[in-house]
């Protein structure tokens, strides 16, 4: 026998309906690429989303069809998140930084019917148009005068908004996001209404984003990156004010943060690096944010220290496209006030604790059936399961999980007794030397603390005796000199003796993926002829 509570299908339309009803007047500010600014609110976003749903149907878009966006953060992109899902479509957020072959692959693989794009990406559209075989309609979000095509505002403006949201199952798809592919072709992750609503609700936990109706959030994480960490949904649920910038210029972000009294931000570490450099050059203080959620790659200690000294709570988060993406988030625990500043920084440098709804475990790297203790010491392959974790890739035949329903993240980590996750590497990058594991990430983190080192990447190179030995590739800071010996001397007190790299090689640049992470795949390809002397 069932219980006796009401039916309430977990669909995204509830989220925008609630935002319009409960927080309708809360502002959504956009700084556009051409410098002008607009202000709308949650009630208007809903009205525009209703019109957009009608406009898509008028173009012949059907339930389940994919509608792509190639766009930065702005209110019209936000409208699309609700307009596409509202008519039963699937919004495919495309990363404009992908390489041409990847752009061709994912749009054709997704069979996108419509492309919504920023004028700034017109050159990409012009170049790719003939290679994209399924797109029937192009809509420009912010066209210049004289544009000959569908301009977003007039396209939706032709509709009356008298529309009833499409109904369906809460398990219907609503969004599609491809992983940027550090290996092989990009793979599509298709989110459902239900998984998205649950993920957004989980994002509201005080141990996650920790924001509410008094918050003003400027998300720097792009809307095309891993569903923008669910912020456009969680933000609507909490009724926050959003401030968007379609350009990632630290001067503009800084000015907006001060003027709009921004309390919260979210982005990858490089965003903050650029912000630090800007503030240093201008000799001004960092913006007085209450909280900064930082993730996508490891947040370095010096960044945490500086933000904490500025009074900003650092919420170091871990996740991936396949996990919607939030898996863990860091924040104060009950022992927080007993910790010294350095201990707080140490703890924040780890990746935080799982938010309710996801489960984590580590298993032996060689034998994935052996679960490892949560002892703060043993590192292993990190696995995850929960209602917003991938089961199967888009159009994939087989499940992406093992028989027990655990998804292998490809990350290597340690779980501490209090649940804190400490990532140590990626399974593909961890170096096996004489049967023992060396963390390439820990080596890199230690190396970037060396004066004169701008960036470092460590890969395992073939060694006849030890199988693999670490080689450190280093980019020098502009105008600064540093020697291999100086790097080695710097590393010595920080890592085990047998972890010391067999060589330090200076390079002009280190390759990155479209999401800005070090691409070890490309680095290995670039040095495929590399041989360790004496190996
Ligand atoms: P990609 O397509 O590049 O894999 P994702 O955003 O899905 O893009 O990347 C997820 C991966 O990023 C994780 O598996 C992990 O390796 C890395 N990552 C994410 N957050 C963190 C973090 N806080 N610290 C260290 N690594 C992280």
């Amino acid at each position: 026998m069932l219980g006796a509570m009401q039916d309430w299908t977990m669909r995204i339309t509830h989220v925008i309906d609630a935002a319009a009803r409960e927080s309708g007047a809360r502002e959504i500010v956009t700084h556009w690429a051409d410098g002008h600014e607009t202000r709308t609110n949650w009630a208007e976003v809903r009205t525009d989303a209703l019109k957009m749903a009608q406009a898509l149907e008028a173009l012949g878009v059907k339930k389940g069809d994919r509608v792509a966006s190639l766009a930065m953060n702005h209110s019209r992109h936000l409208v699309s998140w609700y307009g596409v899902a509202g008519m039963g479509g699937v919004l495919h957020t495309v990363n404009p930084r992908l390489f041409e072959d990847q752009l061709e692959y994912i749009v054709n693989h997704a069979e996108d019917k419509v492309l919504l794009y920023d004028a700034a990406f017109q050159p990409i559209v012009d170049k790719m148009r003939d290679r994209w075989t399924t797109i029937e309609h192009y809509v420009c979000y912010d066209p210049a005068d004289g544009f000959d095509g569908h301009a977003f505002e007039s396209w939706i403006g032709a509709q009356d908004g008298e529309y009833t949201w499409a109904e369906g199952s809460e398990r219907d798809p609503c969004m599609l996001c491809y992983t940027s592919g550090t290996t092989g072709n990009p793979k599509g992750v298709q989110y459902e209404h239900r998984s998205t609503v649950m993920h957004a609700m989980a994002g509201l936990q005080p141990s996650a984003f920790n924001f509410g109706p008094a918050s003003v959030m400027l998300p720097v994480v792009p809307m095309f990156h891993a569903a923008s960490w669910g912020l456009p949904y969680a933000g609507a649920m909490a009724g926050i004010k959003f401030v968007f910038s379609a350009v990632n210029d630290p001067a503009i972000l800084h000015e907006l943060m001060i003027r709009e009294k921004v309390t919260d931000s979210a982005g990858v570490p490089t965003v903050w690096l650029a912000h630090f450099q800007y503030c240093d050059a201008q000799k001004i203080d960092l913006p007085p944010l209450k909280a900064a959620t930082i993730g996508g790659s490891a947040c370095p200690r010096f960044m945490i220290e500086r933000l904490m000294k500025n009074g900003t709570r650092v919420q170091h988060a871990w996740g991936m496209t396949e996990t919607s993406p939030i898996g863990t988030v860091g924040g104060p625990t009950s022992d927080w006030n007993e910790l010294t500043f350095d201990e707080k920084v140490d703890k924040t440098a780890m990746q935080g604790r799982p938010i309710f709804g996801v489960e984590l475990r580590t298993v032996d790297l060689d034998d994935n059936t052996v679960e490892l203790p949560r002892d703060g010491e043993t590192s292993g392959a990190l696995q995850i399961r929960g209602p917003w974790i991938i089961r199967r890739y888009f159009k994939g035949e087989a499940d992406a999980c093992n028989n027990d329903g655990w998804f292998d993240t490809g990350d290597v980590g340690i779980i501490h007794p209090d649940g804190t996750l400490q990532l140590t590497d990626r399974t593909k990058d961890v170096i096996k030397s004489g049967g023992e594991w060396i963390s390439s990430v820990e080596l890199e983190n230690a190396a970037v603390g060396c004066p004169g080192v701008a960036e470092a990447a460590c890969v395992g190179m073939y060694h006849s005796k030890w199988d693999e030995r670490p080689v450190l590739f280093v980019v020098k800071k502009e105008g600064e000199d540093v020697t291999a010996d100086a790097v080695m001397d710097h590393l010595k007190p920080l890592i085990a003796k047998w972890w010391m790299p067999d060589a330090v090689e200076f390079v002009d640049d280190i390759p990155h993926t479209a999401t800005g992470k070090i691409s070890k795949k490309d680095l290995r390809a670039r040095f495929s002829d590399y041989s360790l002397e004496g190996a």
Side-chain angles (χ1 to χ4, degrees), residues 95 98 178-183 186-187 189 191 225-226 229 268-269 294-299 315-323 325 328 348-352 382 407 409-412 421 423-427 429 441 513-518:
N95 181 346
L98 291 176
Y178 281 72
T179 63
S180 60
T182 36
T183 51
K187 288 184 278 218
V189 182
Y191 307 119
H225 189 196
W229 303 354
V268 294
I294 302 183
S297 51
C299 183
Q315 296 163 177
H316 187 185
W318 164 83
M320 50 200 308
T321 305
E322 286 90 337
T323 65
T328 61
T348 309
M350 296 185 201
Q351 278 70 13
L382 180 68
F407 173 70
T409 63
D411 286 323
V412 182
L421 170 70
L423 275 202
T424 51
D425 217 332
R426 304 268 305 164
T427 32
D429 300 333
V441 170
T513 66
T515 45
K517 293 172 199 177
I518 291 175

Coordinates of all heavy atoms in Angstrom, one line a residue, residues 95 98 178-183 186-187 189 191 225-226 229 268-269 294-299 315-323 325 328 348-352 382 407 409-412 421 423-427 429 441 513-518, ligand 1:
N95 N 30.4 23.9 -24.9 CA 31.6 24.7 -24.5 C 32.3 25.3 -25.7 O 32.8 24.6 -26.5 CB 32.5 23.8 -23.7 CG 33.8 24.5 -23.2 OD1 34.1 25.6 -23.6 ND2 34.5 23.8 -22.3
L98 N 35.9 24.4 -26.9 CA 36.2 23.1 -27.5 C 36.9 23.3 -28.8 O 36.7 24.3 -29.5 CB 35.0 22.2 -27.7 CG 34.3 21.7 -26.4 CD1 33.1 20.9 -26.8 CD2 35.2 20.8 -25.6
Y178 N 28.5 17.6 -22.3 CA 29.6 16.6 -22.7 C 30.8 16.9 -21.8 O 31.1 18.0 -21.5 CB 29.9 16.7 -24.2 CG 28.9 16.1 -25.1 CD1 27.7 16.6 -25.3 CD2 29.2 14.9 -25.7 CE1 26.7 15.9 -26.1 CE2 28.3 14.2 -26.5 CZ 27.1 14.8 -26.7 OH 26.2 14.1 -27.5
T179 N 31.4 15.8 -21.5 CA 32.7 16.0 -20.7 C 33.7 16.4 -21.8 O 33.7 16.0 -22.9 CB 33.2 14.7 -20.1 OG1 33.4 13.7 -21.1 CG2 32.2 14.1 -19.1
S180 N 34.7 17.2 -21.3 CA 35.6 17.8 -22.3 C 36.6 16.7 -22.8 O 37.3 17.0 -23.8 CB 36.3 19.0 -21.8 OG 37.1 18.6 -20.6
G181 N 36.6 15.6 -22.3 CA 37.4 14.5 -22.9 C 38.9 14.6 -22.7 O 39.6 15.0 -23.6
T182 N 39.3 14.3 -21.4 CA 40.8 14.2 -21.3 C 41.3 13.0 -21.9 O 42.5 12.8 -22.2 CB 41.2 14.2 -19.8 OG1 40.2 13.5 -19.0 CG2 41.2 15.6 -19.2
T183 N 40.4 12.0 -22.2 CA 40.7 10.9 -23.0 C 39.6 10.6 -24.0 O 38.4 10.8 -23.7 CB 40.8 9.6 -22.2 OG1 39.6 9.5 -21.4 CG2 42.0 9.6 -21.2
P186 N 34.5 13.2 -26.6 CA 33.7 13.7 -25.5 C 32.5 12.7 -25.3 O 32.0 12.1 -26.3 CB 33.3 15.0 -25.9 CG 34.2 15.4 -27.0 CD 34.7 14.2 -27.7
K187 N 32.1 12.6 -24.1 CA 30.9 11.7 -23.8 C 29.8 12.6 -23.2 O 30.0 13.5 -22.4 CB 31.3 10.6 -22.8 CG 32.2 9.6 -23.5 CD 32.5 8.5 -22.5 CE 33.6 8.8 -21.6 NZ 34.6 8.2 -21.1
V189 N 26.5 13.5 -21.0 CA 25.8 13.2 -19.7 C 24.5 13.8 -19.8 O 24.4 15.0 -19.9 CB 26.6 13.7 -18.5 CG1 26.0 13.3 -17.2 CG2 28.1 13.2 -18.6
Y191 N 21.1 14.8 -18.1 CA 20.5 15.0 -16.7 C 19.0 14.9 -16.9 O 18.4 15.2 -17.9 CB 20.8 16.4 -16.2 CG 22.3 16.6 -16.1 CD1 22.9 17.7 -16.8 CD2 23.2 15.8 -15.4 CE1 24.3 17.9 -16.8 CE2 24.5 16.0 -15.3 CZ 25.1 17.1 -16.0 OH 26.4 17.3 -16.0
H225 N 29.6 25.0 -18.3 CA 30.5 24.0 -17.6 C 29.8 23.2 -16.6 O 29.3 23.8 -15.6 CB 31.7 24.8 -17.0 CG 32.7 23.9 -16.5 ND1 33.7 24.3 -15.6 CD2 33.0 22.6 -16.7 CE1 34.5 23.3 -15.3 NE2 34.1 22.2 -15.9
A226 N 29.6 21.9 -16.8 CA 29.0 21.0 -15.9 C 27.7 21.6 -15.3 O 27.6 21.8 -14.0 CB 29.9 20.6 -14.8
W229 N 27.2 24.1 -12.3 CA 27.2 23.5 -10.9 C 25.8 23.6 -10.3 O 25.6 23.6 -9.1 CB 28.2 24.3 -10.0 CG 29.6 24.2 -10.5 CD1 30.1 23.5 -11.6 CD2 30.8 24.9 -10.0 NE1 31.4 23.7 -11.8 CE2 31.9 24.5 -10.9 CE3 31.0 25.8 -9.0 CZ2 33.2 25.0 -10.6 CZ3 32.3 26.2 -8.8 CH2 33.4 25.9 -9.6
V268 N 36.3 28.3 -11.0 CA 37.5 27.4 -11.0 C 38.7 28.3 -10.4 O 38.6 29.5 -10.4 CB 37.9 26.9 -12.4 CG1 36.8 25.9 -12.8 CG2 38.1 28.0 -13.4
P269 N 39.7 27.6 -9.9 CA 40.8 28.4 -9.2 C 41.4 29.5 -10.1 O 41.8 30.6 -9.7 CB 41.8 27.4 -8.9 CG 41.1 26.1 -8.8 CD 39.9 26.2 -9.7
I294 N 34.8 27.1 -4.8 CA 35.9 26.9 -5.8 C 36.0 25.4 -6.1 O 36.1 24.6 -5.1 CB 37.2 27.4 -5.2 CG1 37.0 28.9 -4.9 CG2 38.4 27.2 -6.2 CD1 38.3 29.6 -4.4
G295 N 36.1 25.0 -7.3 CA 36.2 23.6 -7.7 C 36.5 23.5 -9.1 O 36.9 24.4 -9.8
G296 N 36.5 22.2 -9.6 CA 36.8 22.0 -11.0 C 38.2 21.5 -11.1 O 38.6 20.7 -12.0
S297 N 39.1 22.1 -10.3 CA 40.4 21.5 -10.1 C 40.9 22.0 -8.7 O 40.2 22.8 -8.1 CB 41.4 21.9 -11.2 OG 41.5 23.2 -11.4
A298 N 42.0 21.4 -8.2 CA 42.3 21.6 -6.8 C 42.6 23.1 -6.5 O 43.3 23.8 -7.3 CB 43.5 20.8 -6.4
C299 N 42.0 23.6 -5.4 CA 42.2 25.0 -5.0 C 43.6 25.1 -4.2 O 43.7 24.4 -3.2 CB 41.1 25.5 -4.2 SG 41.2 27.2 -3.7
Q315 N 34.5 27.5 0.0 CA 33.8 26.2 -0.1 C 34.5 25.4 -1.3 O 34.1 25.6 -2.4 CB 32.3 26.5 -0.3 CG 31.7 27.2 0.9 CD 30.4 27.9 0.7 OE1 29.8 28.4 1.6 NE2 29.9 27.9 -0.6
H316 N 35.5 24.6 -0.9 CA 36.2 23.9 -1.9 C 35.4 22.7 -2.3 O 35.1 21.8 -1.5 CB 37.6 23.5 -1.3 CG 38.5 22.9 -2.3 ND1 39.7 22.4 -1.9 CD2 38.4 22.7 -3.6 CE1 40.3 21.9 -3.0 NE2 39.6 22.1 -4.0
A317 N 35.0 22.6 -3.6 CA 34.1 21.6 -4.0 C 34.7 20.6 -5.0 O 35.6 21.0 -5.8 CB 32.9 22.2 -4.6
W318 N 34.3 19.4 -4.9 CA 34.7 18.4 -5.9 C 33.5 17.8 -6.6 O 32.5 17.6 -6.0 CB 35.5 17.3 -5.3 CG 35.6 16.1 -6.2 CD1 36.6 15.9 -7.2 CD2 34.8 14.9 -6.3 NE1 36.3 14.7 -7.9 CE2 35.2 14.1 -7.3 CE3 33.6 14.6 -5.6 CZ2 34.6 12.9 -7.7 CZ3 33.0 13.4 -6.0 CH2 33.5 12.6 -7.0
G319 N 33.6 17.6 -7.9 CA 32.6 17.0 -8.7 C 33.0 16.8 -10.1 O 34.1 17.2 -10.5
M320 N 32.1 16.3 -10.9 CA 32.4 16.1 -12.3 C 31.1 16.2 -13.1 O 30.1 16.1 -12.5 CB 33.2 14.8 -12.6 CG 32.6 13.6 -12.0 SD 33.8 12.2 -11.8 CE 34.5 12.1 -13.4
T321 N 31.3 16.4 -14.4 CA 30.1 16.5 -15.3 C 29.2 15.3 -15.0 O 28.0 15.4 -14.9 CB 30.5 16.5 -16.8 OG1 31.5 17.5 -16.9 CG2 29.4 16.7 -17.7
E322 N 29.8 14.1 -14.8 CA 29.0 12.9 -14.6 C 28.3 12.9 -13.2 O 27.4 12.0 -13.0 CB 29.9 11.7 -14.6 CG 30.4 11.3 -16.0 CD 31.7 12.0 -16.3 OE1 32.0 13.1 -15.8 OE2 32.5 11.5 -17.2
T323 N 28.6 13.8 -12.3 CA 27.9 13.9 -11.0 C 27.1 15.1 -10.8 O 26.8 15.5 -9.7 CB 29.0 13.7 -9.9 OG1 29.8 14.9 -9.9 CG2 29.9 12.5 -10.0
P325 N 27.1 18.7 -11.0 CA 28.3 17.9 -10.7 C 28.6 17.8 -9.2 O 29.7 17.2 -8.9 CB 29.3 18.9 -11.3 CG 28.8 20.2 -11.0 CD 27.3 20.1 -11.0
T328 N 31.2 16.7 -3.3 CA 31.6 17.1 -2.0 C 31.8 18.6 -1.9 O 32.2 19.2 -3.0 CB 33.0 16.4 -1.6 OG1 34.0 16.8 -2.5 CG2 32.9 14.9 -1.6
T348 N 40.7 23.0 4.4 CA 40.0 23.5 3.3 C 40.7 23.1 2.0 O 40.0 23.0 0.9 CB 39.9 25.1 3.4 OG1 39.4 25.4 4.7 CG2 39.1 25.7 2.3
A349 N 42.0 22.8 2.0 CA 42.7 22.4 0.8 C 42.2 21.0 0.4 O 42.5 20.6 -0.8 CB 44.2 22.4 1.0
M350 N 41.6 20.3 1.3 CA 41.0 19.0 0.9 C 39.7 19.3 0.2 O 39.2 20.4 0.2 CB 40.8 18.1 2.1 CG 42.2 17.7 2.8 SD 41.9 16.6 4.1 CE 43.4 16.8 5.0
Q351 N 39.1 18.2 -0.3 CA 37.9 18.5 -1.2 C 36.6 18.5 -0.5 O 35.5 18.6 -1.2 CB 37.9 17.5 -2.4 CG 38.9 17.9 -3.5 CD 40.4 17.8 -3.2 OE1 40.7 17.2 -2.2 NE2 41.2 18.4 -4.0
G352 N 36.5 18.4 0.8 CA 35.3 18.6 1.5 C 34.6 17.3 1.7 O 35.1 16.2 1.5
L382 N 38.4 6.3 -6.5 CA 37.2 6.9 -5.8 C 35.9 6.5 -6.6 O 35.9 6.7 -7.9 CB 37.3 8.4 -5.8 CG 36.2 9.2 -5.2 CD1 36.1 9.0 -3.7 CD2 36.4 10.7 -5.5
F407 N 29.8 4.3 -9.6 CA 30.5 4.9 -10.8 C 31.9 5.2 -10.4 O 32.2 5.8 -9.4 CB 29.7 6.2 -11.2 CG 30.5 7.0 -12.3 CD1 30.5 6.5 -13.6 CD2 31.1 8.2 -12.0 CE1 31.2 7.2 -14.6 CE2 31.8 8.9 -13.0 CZ 31.8 8.4 -14.3
T409 N 35.0 7.2 -10.7 CA 35.3 8.6 -11.1 C 36.5 8.8 -11.9 O 36.7 9.9 -12.5 CB 35.3 9.5 -9.8 OG1 36.5 9.1 -9.1 CG2 34.1 9.4 -9.0
G410 N 37.5 7.9 -11.8 CA 38.8 8.1 -12.4 C 39.7 8.9 -11.6 O 40.8 9.2 -11.9
D411 N 39.2 9.3 -10.4 CA 40.0 10.1 -9.4 C 40.6 9.1 -8.4 O 40.0 8.0 -8.1 CB 39.2 11.1 -8.7 CG 38.9 12.3 -9.6 OD1 39.8 12.7 -10.4 OD2 37.8 12.9 -9.6
V412 N 41.7 9.5 -7.8 CA 42.3 8.7 -6.7 C 42.2 9.6 -5.4 O 42.6 10.8 -5.5 CB 43.7 8.4 -7.0 CG1 44.4 7.5 -5.9 CG2 43.8 7.7 -8.4
L421 N 37.0 14.2 2.0 CA 37.7 13.6 0.8 C 38.9 14.4 0.5 O 38.9 15.6 0.5 CB 36.8 13.6 -0.4 CG 37.4 13.3 -1.8 CD1 37.7 11.8 -1.8 CD2 36.5 13.6 -2.9
L423 N 41.6 14.4 -2.5 CA 42.0 13.9 -3.8 C 43.5 13.9 -3.9 O 44.2 14.8 -3.5 CB 41.4 14.7 -4.9 CG 40.0 14.5 -5.4 CD1 39.8 15.1 -6.8 CD2 39.6 13.1 -5.3
T424 N 44.0 12.8 -4.5 CA 45.5 12.8 -4.6 C 45.9 12.7 -6.1 O 47.0 13.1 -6.4 CB 46.1 11.6 -3.8 OG1 45.4 10.4 -4.2 CG2 46.0 11.8 -2.3
D425 N 45.0 12.2 -7.0 CA 45.4 12.1 -8.4 C 44.3 11.6 -9.2 O 43.2 11.4 -8.7 CB 46.6 11.1 -8.5 CG 47.6 11.6 -9.6 OD1 47.2 12.3 -10.5 OD2 48.8 11.2 -9.4
R426 N 44.6 11.5 -10.5 CA 43.6 10.8 -11.4 C 44.2 9.4 -11.6 O 45.4 9.2 -11.7 CB 43.6 11.5 -12.8 CG 43.2 12.9 -12.8 CD 41.8 13.2 -12.9 NE 41.2 12.6 -14.1 CZ 39.8 12.5 -14.2 NH1 39.0 12.9 -13.2 NH2 39.3 12.0 -15.3
T427 N 43.3 8.4 -11.8 CA 43.9 7.0 -12.0 C 44.8 6.9 -13.1 O 45.8 6.2 -13.1 CB 42.7 6.0 -12.1 OG1 41.7 6.6 -12.8 CG2 42.3 5.4 -10.8
D429 N 46.8 9.2 -14.2 CA 48.0 10.0 -14.0 C 48.9 9.6 -12.9 O 50.1 10.0 -12.8 CB 47.6 11.5 -13.8 CG 46.8 12.0 -15.0 OD1 47.0 11.5 -16.1 OD2 46.0 12.9 -14.8
V441 N 49.8 14.8 -8.7 CA 49.3 16.0 -8.3 C 50.0 16.6 -7.1 O 50.3 17.8 -7.0 CB 47.8 15.9 -8.0 CG1 47.2 17.1 -7.3 CG2 47.0 15.5 -9.2
T513 N 43.1 21.4 -21.4 CA 41.9 21.0 -22.0 C 41.0 22.2 -22.2 O 41.3 23.3 -21.7 CB 41.1 20.0 -21.1 OG1 40.7 20.7 -19.9 CG2 42.0 18.8 -20.8
A514 N 39.8 22.0 -22.8 CA 38.9 23.1 -23.0 C 38.4 23.7 -21.7 O 37.9 24.8 -21.7 CB 37.8 22.7 -23.9
T515 N 38.4 22.9 -20.6 CA 38.0 23.4 -19.3 C 39.1 24.0 -18.5 O 39.0 24.2 -17.3 CB 37.1 22.4 -18.5 OG1 37.8 21.2 -18.6 CG2 35.8 22.2 -19.1
G516 N 40.3 24.1 -19.2 CA 41.4 24.8 -18.5 C 42.3 23.9 -17.6 O 43.1 24.4 -16.9
K517 N 42.0 22.6 -17.7 CA 42.8 21.7 -16.9 C 44.1 21.2 -17.6 O 44.0 21.2 -18.9 CB 42.0 20.5 -16.5 CG 40.9 20.8 -15.5 CD 40.0 19.7 -15.3 CE 38.7 20.3 -14.8 NZ 37.7 19.3 -14.5
I518 N 45.1 20.9 -16.9 CA 46.3 20.4 -17.6 C 46.0 19.1 -18.3 O 45.3 18.2 -17.8 CB 47.4 20.0 -16.5 CG1 47.9 21.4 -15.9 CG2 48.6 19.3 -17.2 CD1 48.9 21.2 -14.8
Ligands
LIG1 P1 36.3 17.2 -17.6 O1 35.4 17.1 -18.8 O2 37.6 18.0 -17.8 O3 36.6 15.9 -17.0 P2 34.8 17.9 -15.3 O4 34.4 19.2 -14.9 O5 33.8 16.8 -15.4 O6 35.5 18.1 -16.7 O7 36.1 17.4 -14.5 C1 35.9 16.6 -13.4 C2 37.3 16.3 -12.8 O8 37.9 17.5 -12.4 C3 37.2 15.4 -11.6 O9 37.1 14.1 -11.9 C4 38.6 15.8 -10.9 O10 39.6 15.1 -11.4 C5 38.7 17.2 -11.2 N1 38.3 18.1 -10.1 C6 37.1 18.6 -9.9 N2 37.1 19.3 -8.8 C7 38.3 19.2 -8.2 C8 38.9 19.6 -6.9 N3 38.2 20.4 -6.1 N4 40.1 19.3 -6.7 C9 40.8 18.5 -7.5 N5 40.3 18.0 -8.7 C10 39.1 18.4 -9.0

